[in-house]
Amino acid sequence: QVQVAESGGGVVQPGGSLRLSCTVSGSISGFYVVSWYLQPPEKERELIGSISKFDTIKYADSVKGRFSISRDTAKNTIDLQISSLEPDDTAVYYCRISHGGGDAWGQGTQVTVAS
């Protein structure tokens, strides 16, 4: 079974930065895409962007440019860097992998932006 785990969330002041990490374990079948999502309180889950097995990175049209997805080869993680954090960035951030064997979601990590 494929398992997904996010880490790195916490409380941060406006203007700060956070790096979230996504760790995937298990047997991944063939091609895959790892995606990051956010879900603010009382709102629907929203796609941020994704990175493929071959490191093609795409972002949702709604992304303003403060989000950056990358692969950390040393740590074997897919990271989401968020800069210039705003209170509206407060959300649960989720990682998902889509692959030949199906989809798997992490449990999410809470990011709270507050002064």
Side-chain angles (χ1 to χ4, degrees), residues 82-113:
I82 316 172
S83 61
S84 302
L85 281 157
E86 305 170 352
D88 285 349
D89 294 326
T90 294
V92 179
Y93 288 76
Y94 294 92
C95 182
R96 181 184 78 163
I97 184 166
S98 302
H99 67 112
D103 290 353
W105 289 84
Q107 80 287 352
T109 184
Q110 175 72 48
V111 173
T112 302
V113 183

Side-chain angles (χ1 to χ4, degrees), residues 30-45:
F31 180 77
Y32 67 82
V33 176
V34 175
S35 302
W36 278 99
Y37 295 76
L38 76 159
Q39 186 167 15
E42 311 297 332
K43 294 204 68 178
E44 298 294 315
R45 197 168 299 181

